[in-house]
Amino acid sequence: MRNLIFILGDQLSPDLSSLRDADPACDGILMCEVMAEATYVRHHKRKIAFILSAMRHFAEELETAGFAVRYIRLDDPDNAGSFRGELLRAVEALAPQRVVVTEPGEWRVLDDMRGWSDAARCPVEIRPDRRFLATHEEFAAWAGTRRELTMEFFYREMRRKTGLLMDGDAPAGGRWNFDAENRKPAQQDLLRPRRRQFSPDAITRDVLSLVEDRFADHIGRLEGFGFAVTRADAETLLDDFIADFLPAFGETQDAMLTSDPNLNHALLSFYINIGFLDPLAVCRAAERAYLEGYAPLNAVEGFIRQIIGWREYMRGIYWLKMPDYAESNFFEAKRPLPDFFWTAETDMACLRTVIRDTIDTAYAHHIQRLMITGNFALLAGLAPHAVHEWYLEVYADAYEWVEMPNVIGMSQFADGGLLGSKPYAASGNYISKMSDYCTGCRYDVKKKTGEGACPFNALYWDFLDRNRERLSRNRRLAQPYATWSRMSDAQRQDFRASARRFLQKLDAAERV
Ligand code: FAD
Ligand code: DLZ
Ligand code: SF4
């Protein structure tokens, strides 16, 4: 054998760099299902089932293309349990001239991978992942020239680089960013099309029973599993999104509704991150909808910005700052996550709804992740590393390169503002404005303190008060700090006492 090409579970793309010059006549493929990857955090059952089924279908695709695939299943009695162990077994069995692999999406895997060549006594070529627009070097060069790493400026570079939504050198419509038009609350829309679900085929059914059997104690439900597990089906979902949801994607991007957790979001991150959908092709499809007059500019620009802006930027930050980034803890927050993060058993309707949906579907949209669970974790002083592990565990689109900067940086401000200019901290008023959660809540969002008051209200002021040293010089927080200063001493004490009572209940594992 010439090359043994090792393909990881989130590298399911036929144009992957490790497959660039692959020749079925002399190269072989290695893919393996290993316990180490399913348990380094205790991933949601649905996430494990999705990845394993997608891997098995992709292996079939490669076999149809003529490749010999060494596919190791989780229940293979000789399974070594880890990437390294399976690589060593494969090298011993197949004696390739070299191993070729595309760089992984997580630092811990790359760190291990760097030792594979010595361990296997075989050259290992690690190729860059070309499924992103900016290379690590390009991102580092961009970052190196700036005092502040503002995403908006990076995004403009990516617009210029790709030509997406550009009229020559100028942005289409005369503005780079139409976000101001994308902050409306949502109304119930009974005509909103339903999401397509795929019935599990024989491969998926096998995987579902394997996961139920091996990971019964992991979070999540498998009933109703309807993910696409092939590239072709993921492309159908992209077509559905462009036709049915993109036109209205913009306006209600930040809104939340109890009865309609997805609104017009794409639900495509699973497929983009695993390699079924090419991010640039997704953006070109959205741009086409705009050029053909099918979707408005505010929607298409907002959508494209998430992918060539935020997604690329997050990856850039991750590789620029790892491994130290994982331990960032600007506020020195230490509190463990309350149990309700795994059970949804809380009286706070906003958290209960989002966590319940997360347990059921391994999905929540951006504002639910940022302004409900993330906001609560920030205000309640939960330890950012534990918060990061929870997000990595529960969402089916979560891989460290994208999850960690979103959690540690954007949501928890644990990097002290490298990534965001102010913490995404909000009181109940924001949640009440952008969602209908408060109408079904035991707490009263209008009540500031005392029995029955929305906990977010006191927690918000207490968070600002307790972190005054760290935050009061932040110009974007001047207004809330001025409001805090104008309050009477008694009012401030009331907020502090209310927050303290709530946090004591949390620490005592009482129901909140
Ligand atoms: P849409 O809202 O429809 O957006 C379209 C696409 O844009 C997404 O599919 C995704 O590819 C991209 N995108 C949007 N926002 C971001 C962002 N902030 N960073 C990177 N890409 C983005 N995204 C992940 O892919 N994996 C994660 O583990 C993850 N963890 C997150 C944790 C927190 C605390 C927060 C605040 C955000 C996180 N995100 C993560 C970003 C975002 O929430 C998801 O990408 C999005 O909800 C996926 O759903 P969608 O496909 O319906 O996205
Ligand atoms: C997340 C995951 C899981 C649960 N299982 C596997 C697996 O069995 N085999 C595999 O190749 N990949 C898996 N993955 C995805 C990897 O964790 C991912 O490829 C690395 O974290 C690098 O991003
Ligand atoms: Fe959440 Fe407060 Fe609204 Fe209840 S009242 S749903 S706790 S914001």
Side-chain angles (χ1 to χ4, degrees):
M1 180 180 289
R2 185 182 64 164
N3 293 335
L4 174 66
I5 300 164
F6 190 175
I7 298 181
L8 309 184
D10 55 353
Q11 299 184 337
L12 311 183
S13 320
D15 51 359
L16 195 69
S17 59
S18 59
L19 286 167
R20 194 184 54 220
D21 47 359
D23 179 354
C26 53
D27 300 327
I29 308 280
L30 169 64
M31 295 177 73
C32 54
E33 302 173 358
V34 289
M35 275 310 258
E37 292 307 304
T39 53
Y40 72 98
V41 296
R42 291 155 52 86
H43 296 292
H44 194 295
K45 286 180 196 151
R46 217 169 254 245
K47 178 181 189 182
I48 301 176
F50 166 58
I51 293 173
L52 299 194
S53 179
M55 285 175 67
R56 290 185 187 191
H57 283 90
F58 187 69
E60 271 196 349
E61 213 184 297
L62 291 170
E63 276 166 354
T64 307
F67 285 102
V69 182
R70 180 182 163 96
Y71 191 95
I72 308 297
R73 291 179 177 224
L74 198 72
D75 49 7
D76 183 323
D78 296 324
N79 192 317
S82 68
F83 284 154
R84 178 184 280 244
E86 277 309 317
L87 178 87
L88 296 185
R89 278 205 323 133
V91 168
E92 190 163 323
L94 303 169
Q97 287 169 19
R98 64 175 178 165
V99 172
V100 177
V101 61
T102 292
E103 64 179 319
E106 303 200 343
W107 193 89
R108 76 187 163 86
V109 182
L110 180 63
D111 194 37
D112 186 50
M113 201 177 262
R114 288 187 175 127
W116 288 358
S117 178
D118 282 350
R121 296 212 188 88
C122 176
V124 176
E125 181 187 340
I126 304 175
R127 293 185 180 169
D129 193 342
R130 297 286 181 216
R131 298 173 299 171
F132 293 90
L133 292 175
T135 63
H136 301 315
E137 295 73 25
E138 280 168 339
F139 190 86
W142 174 81
T145 59
R146 284 150 210 269
R147 207 165 48 84
E148 285 178 356
L149 302 183
T150 310
M151 194 292 292
E152 183 65 26
F153 296 118
F154 171 77
Y155 164 57
R156 293 179 191 177
E157 301 271 319
M158 294 299 108
R159 288 273 293 276
R160 291 192 186 95
K161 181 170 179 171
T162 56
L164 280 164
L165 298 179
M166 296 297 291
D167 287 335
D169 291 338
R175 270 155 62 195
W176 291 102
N177 184 315
F178 289 79
D179 228 9
E181 290 159 39
N182 291 351
R183 294 192 187 119
K184 301 206 172 78
Q187 303 298 326
Q188 188 86 352
D189 179 358
L190 297 174
L191 299 179
R192 205 185 323 277
R194 288 171 64 85
R195 302 281 171 168
R196 191 188 297 265
Q197 297 281 307
F198 296 93
S199 307
D201 63 4
I203 293 180
T204 303
R205 286 197 300 273
D206 269 359
V207 167
L208 291 174
S209 55
L210 176 76
V211 172
E212 198 58 84
D213 183 41
R214 297 287 174 104
F215 305 102
D217 56 346
H218 284 215
I219 193 171
R221 278 158 45 89
L222 289 170
E223 294 79 20
F225 180 95
F227 277 88
V229 290
T230 63
R231 218 150 38 88
D233 285 349
E235 275 161 13
T236 302
L237 291 179
L238 170 61
D239 294 343
D240 287 355
F241 169 69
I242 301 284
D244 295 339
F245 302 101
L246 177 65
F249 172 82
E251 284 193 356
T252 55
Q253 212 180 321
D254 287 4
M256 297 166 281
L257 272 190
T258 309
S259 61
D260 187 353
N262 307 328
L263 293 170
N264 289 297
H265 287 274
L267 276 70
L268 292 176
S269 49
F270 323 112
Y271 310 114
I272 302 175
N273 293 351
I274 208 169
F276 279 167
L277 296 177
D278 172 55
L280 190 54
V282 170
C283 292
R284 297 245 182 260
E287 184 189 40
R288 243 183 343 267
Y290 163 65
L291 294 175
E292 289 167 3
Y294 192 75
L297 186 54
N298 69 306
V300 175
E301 187 283 315
F303 179 72
I304 287 178
R305 176 161 22 90
Q306 306 309 316
I307 297 185
I308 67 168
W310 281 112
R311 186 172 184 274
E312 288 282 333
Y313 173 81
M314 290 302 185
R315 176 182 186 250
I317 295 282
Y318 178 78
W319 287 108
L320 191 68
K321 294 295 172 188
M322 278 300 278
D324 299 346
Y325 201 68
E327 302 311 322
S328 312
N329 192 354
F330 180 66
F331 296 120
E332 297 179 53
K334 294 192 179 65
R335 188 163 274 113
L337 266 63
D339 280 352
F340 68 71
F341 270 72
W342 285 272
T343 62
E345 285 169 14
T346 166
D347 291 341
M348 291 179 279
C350 50
L351 283 157
R352 185 174 66 234
T353 309
V354 172
I355 296 172
R356 179 83 272 151
D357 289 344
T358 298
I359 293 170
D360 288 349
T361 65
Y363 176 81
H365 76 60
H366 185 70
I367 295 302
Q368 294 162 330
R369 298 186 204 195
L370 185 65
M371 300 310 296
I372 304 296
T373 41
N375 181 29
F376 179 81
L378 175 73
L379 300 185
L382 307 190
H385 194 83
V387 179
H388 139 68
E389 289 193 327
W390 182 80
Y391 278 94
L392 189 58
E393 177 178 321
V394 301
Y395 291 114
D397 58 15
Y399 305 90
E400 252 189 36
W401 66 267
V402 55
E403 172 275 331
M404 188 186 286
N406 267 300
V407 174
I408 296 279
M410 184 187 277
S411 154
Q412 299 304 295
F413 206 75
D415 62 8
L418 173 82
L419 192 149
S421 52
K422 78 174 173 83
Y424 280 96
S427 68
N429 188 35
Y430 173 91
I431 297 171
S432 158
K433 200 170 76 194
M434 296 310 297
S435 79
D436 64 353
Y437 297 146
C438 302
T439 53
C441 190
R442 167 167 100 67
Y443 295 105
D444 179 353
V445 71
K446 295 221 161 59
K447 197 166 176 213
K448 303 288 181 223
T449 56
E451 184 49 38
C454 168
F456 280 87
N457 293 335
L459 285 177
Y460 172 75
W461 289 113
D462 187 60
F463 166 78
L464 288 181
D465 183 39
R466 101 179 101 84
N467 292 299
R468 196 185 184 86
E469 278 297 301
R470 295 180 177 93
L471 292 177
S472 60
R473 281 180 300 281
N474 184 318
R475 274 180 292 122
R476 296 196 61 201
L477 292 173
Q479 202 194 349
Y481 274 113
T483 307
W484 177 248
S485 305
R486 279 197 302 273
M487 287 181 201
S488 66
D489 278 348
Q491 248 176 328
R492 283 195 292 258
Q493 281 309 338
D494 207 16
F495 275 124
R496 288 185 189 115
S498 241
R500 194 167 51 246
R501 274 195 303 275
F502 177 85
L503 292 172
Q504 276 165 353
K505 280 175 97 176
L506 207 61
D507 293 341
E510 284 174 40
R511 187 175 173 107
V512 288

